Amino acid sequence: MASQLAAPNQLIQSKSSLGQILDKTFIWITRICAFSIAGVLVLIAVQVGIEAIPAIKAFGLGFAFQQDWDPVKGSYGVLPMIYGTLMTSFVALLLAIPIGVGSAIFLSEDFLPVSFRTVLVFLVELLAAIPSVVYGLWGIFVLIPLIRPFGEWLHENLGWFVLFGTSPSGPGLLPAAVVVTIMILPTITAISRDALTSLPPELRQASIGLGGTRWETIFRVLLPAAFSGIVGAIMLALGRAMGETMAVTMLIGNSNTVNFSLFAPGNTIASLLANQFAEASGLQVSALMYAGLILFALTLLVNVAAQWIVMKVQKF
Amino acid sequence: MYLTRKSSDARSIFNKAMTVLAGSLVVVALIPLLAVLSYVLIKGFSRLNLDLLTKLPPPPMAPGGGIANAILGTLIMVGLASLISVPIGVASAIFLSEFSPPKTAQWIRFATNVLNGVPSIILGVFAYAAFVVTTKTFSAYAGAAALAILMLPTIIRTTDEALKIVPQEIRWAALGVGAAKYQTVLQIVVPAALPTIITGVTLAIARAAGETAPLIFTALFTQFWPNSLSQPTPSLAVLVFNFATVPFKNQQELAWAASLILVLLVLTTSIVSRFALRRKTY
């Protein structure tokens, strides 16, 4: 016993050189994998950009302001698709913000017992898990027939208003926008709710203590305090809305014209890509790549802004 | 006396009205979920039989048939995508939570979130540019590559979260008894976080199985069995898209049945992961 304790130098050895090499290799492998994630983003931009070069040379910036998309004549412009993308996203946000933020408030307050509330929160999140193509199928057979009488009424009574200018013909901007609303609801609700529940409880206590009612507290104290988090949620939802493809493709009617009526068929950049890529050739492929690059840039911009806002908020 | 608020007070009425309004907004948000689920269940259930799982899709106007080739195609492509994305994703998350300086980790997490927000159709466009253009053929490889990128952010985020929860003392203990860093991570930390990692991977797989946009012009579709990884390959999601827009009743029924399979897959994984994520090893 005593002799063992006397010679600790011989018992404690530094790691073998093989072990050290294994350690270094392991760390480097994980490092390369992690940096490749950022690399993928760059790679997507570069790869799509290279393929788009012929179209960029041929059409320049006018591509975004040109109305004509005609593979036969070889003239390409994506103004109608940009309009469709922005319009469906805008209408979807208009519908989803009140419903989403309203649900977020209701589910962050103690109106219901906790266990019941968790179930409701989970159900709202499930909306995001259903595949886009299933929403599209449902939209074709259920939503479009459901919206039609409502659209006809609007057209008959308010037809002078440009948004209701045509009678509903089936597929169109409105059904597409309604389905996008459903798909972005969970994003808005979940992140807004996180922003609301992570507020310090002192804010609420102080407001109630001063005699405010619950909803006065919500409107004048909690919502302003959680404002940037809610804005982040809306921006994230906007990014999703602009890139949403399958359900929109199945419901928007895919007509490459600008029509201001909500009931008229239109197109989005994402649906244009989904519809035409498989059969495209020559300059058309390049023009589609250019359109894809525009969509990538738009969503990237919105996403980076959203992530930045959400990241700033999480520091509190 | 002065401290009570009358229930007929305008403020009290506004308070009650807002509560009712917010509650009904939750109901409005949940109506689509119930509507979609019940429709898919009712419409899809009638065709859920052995033929569906073993037979090829019928030609237009012909009765019967199934979606077996699409099921196989989805399994192949999602499997291939998992083979690529699971090792890379888990390794990246290990770097983020175990080895990375905090600033670097913050930037890579930022990039992961941004990648998560990239529309899935753009991943399809990328796979088209990288594979279909260079090999001049639609293929299962191209589809799997797009799905792999799609799965990465989910895998990284859940693994990263799972590793962060493992208590620091366990790492110290392992290093203290002389384990190397790779031994600590691979034999102690990762096994402790394994249930959560598996849950995350399952969620990513379920989501990928339902994705159509990355496959529609990379893997394309065929009416036949997939016989090579470098040829057009059918999938459930693209089948739903194709058959939803044809005017034949038989095809539409198959589209509903395929939707039912996709929805059941997503529902079960979501619900199971909900419970699995609560469990802790330490």
Side-chain angles (χ1 to χ4, degrees):
Chain A
M1 277 303 256
S3 63
Q4 271 184 21
L5 283 173
N9 298 351
Q10 284 161 8
L11 286 172
I12 300 174
Q13 296 172 345
S14 67
K15 288 193 186 99
S16 68
S17 60
L18 178 69
Q20 283 180 353
I21 291 169
L22 277 177
D23 242 14
K24 280 242 165 68
T25 324
F26 180 68
I27 294 176
W28 267 104
I29 290 173
T30 62
R31 180 174 289 144
I32 290 166
C33 285
F35 278 96
S36 71
I37 305 306
V40 166
L41 278 174
V42 179
L43 194 66
I44 293 173
V46 170
Q47 189 85 47
V48 177
I50 288 174
E51 297 292 326
I53 285 175
I56 296 174
K57 274 188 184 150
F59 309 115
L61 281 176
F63 188 68
F65 306 103
Q66 235 269 333
Q67 287 225 22
D68 225 19
W69 182 276
D70 191 345
V72 182
K73 281 194 291 179
S75 85
Y76 297 101
V78 286
L79 185 68
M81 298 70 160
I82 292 182
Y83 169 77
T85 306
L86 296 180
M87 197 60 189
T88 43
S89 310
F90 177 72
V91 175
L93 279 184
L94 216 60
L95 295 169
I97 291 173
I99 303 177
V101 176
S103 313
I105 294 172
F106 192 81
L107 296 173
S108 66
E109 294 282 318
D110 56 352
F111 291 119
L112 300 168
V114 182
S115 54
F116 191 44
R117 232 185 304 158
T118 344
V119 173
L120 287 181
V121 171
F122 175 63
L123 287 179
V124 173
E125 278 169 18
L126 262 191
L127 276 173
I130 294 176
S132 173
V133 74
V134 175
Y135 278 121
L137 184 69
W138 178 76
I140 290 176
F141 292 102
V142 182
L143 191 64
I144 287 181
L146 202 70
I147 292 184
R148 183 174 264 175
F150 167 75
E152 270 162 5
W153 184 86
L154 275 178
H155 174 61
E156 271 165 29
N157 293 288
L158 298 164
W160 49 268
F161 188 43
V162 68
L163 288 179
F164 309 131
T166 61
S167 95
S169 60
L173 277 175
L174 187 65
V178 171
V179 162
V180 172
T181 306
I182 300 172
M183 301 181 75
I184 61 174
L185 254 182
T187 311
I188 296 186
T189 308
I191 300 177
S192 303
R193 188 177 163 273
D194 280 349
L196 285 168
T197 49
S198 58
L199 291 175
E202 289 85 358
L203 286 178
R204 177 192 303 275
Q205 290 158 4
S207 171
I208 302 281
L210 286 170
T213 63
R214 184 200 285 270
W215 280 94
E216 283 164 358
T217 305
I218 291 170
F219 278 123
R220 299 195 193 161
V221 179
L222 301 183
L223 282 182
F227 187 70
S228 45
I230 294 172
V231 171
I234 292 169
M235 296 280 282
L236 273 182
L238 176 63
R240 287 204 63 183
M242 291 199 302
E244 186 42 56
T245 312
M246 295 325 296
V248 172
T249 307
M250 293 162 90
L251 298 174
I252 201 166
N254 303 302
S255 137
N256 299 330
T257 49
V258 177
N259 192 328
F260 292 109
S261 169
L262 284 180
F263 307 128
N267 212 350
T268 67
I269 300 179
S271 325
L272 175 83
L273 300 174
N275 269 317
Q276 302 211 343
F277 241 117
E279 281 118 31
S281 61
L283 189 61
Q284 194 185 356
V285 172
S286 185
L288 288 169
M289 290 284 177
Y290 193 2
L293 200 63
I294 292 176
L295 178 64
F296 183 56
L298 280 177
T299 49
L300 204 65
L301 207 70
V302 171
N303 258 304
V304 168
Q307 294 299 344
W308 188 74
I309 294 171
V310 172
M311 212 162 79
K312 283 272 169 231
V313 172
Q314 278 168 352
K315 283 191 178 151
F316 292 107
Chain B
M1 268 305 268
Y2 295 111
L3 285 177
T4 49
R5 201 181 287 132
K6 271 192 236 150
S7 61
S8 59
D9 188 19
R11 293 169 68 201
S12 302
I13 292 170
F14 174 75
N15 202 35
K16 287 219 177 75
M18 282 311 296
T19 306
V20 173
L21 179 66
S24 40
L25 287 177
V26 178
V27 176
V28 170
L30 290 177
I31 287 174
L33 180 72
L34 296 179
V36 172
L37 288 185
S38 53
Y39 247 87
V40 171
L41 271 175
I42 294 165
K43 290 260 193 177
F45 204 71
S46 62
R47 286 299 289 265
L48 205 59
N49 50 32
L50 198 62
D51 273 7
L52 187 81
L53 305 176
T54 53
K55 290 202 171 146
L56 288 176
M61 315 294 279
I67 54 174
N69 63 338
I71 296 176
L72 184 66
T74 293
L75 286 177
I76 291 172
M77 285 190 284
V78 173
L80 211 56
S82 312
L83 280 183
I84 307 168
S85 61
V86 173
I88 297 182
V90 172
S92 307
I94 288 176
F95 180 73
L96 289 180
S97 97
E98 306 295 316
F99 303 129
S100 160
K103 259 273 182 296
T104 317
Q106 200 187 348
W107 279 108
I108 293 175
R109 286 189 185 115
F110 187 80
T112 312
N113 287 342
V114 172
L115 186 62
N116 196 34
V118 173
S120 58
I121 185 106
I122 296 296
L123 303 179
V125 173
F126 167 68
Y128 184 92
F131 293 91
V132 179
V133 170
T134 48
T135 60
K136 305 218 177 338
T137 170
F138 301 100
S139 63
Y141 291 121
L147 289 183
I149 302 176
L150 183 99
M151 292 169 69
L152 270 176
T154 315
I155 296 175
I156 296 177
R157 271 156 58 163
T158 43
T159 308
D160 190 18
E161 294 294 322
L163 293 176
K164 270 197 246 169
I165 297 172
V166 176
Q168 198 60 38
E169 290 83 353
I170 289 170
R171 296 183 180 88
W172 293 337
L175 293 170
V177 295
K181 281 177 187 158
Y182 74 94
Q183 288 171 322
T184 311
V185 170
L186 291 181
Q187 296 177 11
I188 307 294
V189 180
V190 169
L194 201 59
T196 323
I197 296 176
I198 291 174
T199 311
V201 170
T202 322
L203 271 182
I205 288 175
R207 298 269 159 95
E211 274 291 341
T212 318
L215 298 179
I216 191 166
F217 47 79
T218 53
L220 216 68
F221 190 77
T222 78
Q223 299 279 349
F224 312 105
W225 291 102
N227 54 8
S228 157
L229 291 180
S230 50
Q231 275 179 11
T233 307
S235 58
L236 281 173
V238 178
L239 180 135
V240 175
F241 176 63
N242 286 349
F243 285 6
T245 40
V246 296
F248 308 115
K249 199 163 176 293
N250 189 23
Q251 263 77 357
Q252 289 174 2
E253 280 178 14
L254 289 176
W256 282 108
S259 297
L260 178 63
I261 294 181
L262 289 177
V263 166
L264 285 179
L265 182 71
V266 172
L267 275 189
T268 35
T269 48
S270 297
I271 293 168
V272 168
S273 70
R274 183 85 197 163
F275 289 104
L277 285 174
R278 285 198 194 140
R279 229 177 37 203
K280 275 188 189 167
T281 314
Y282 289 102

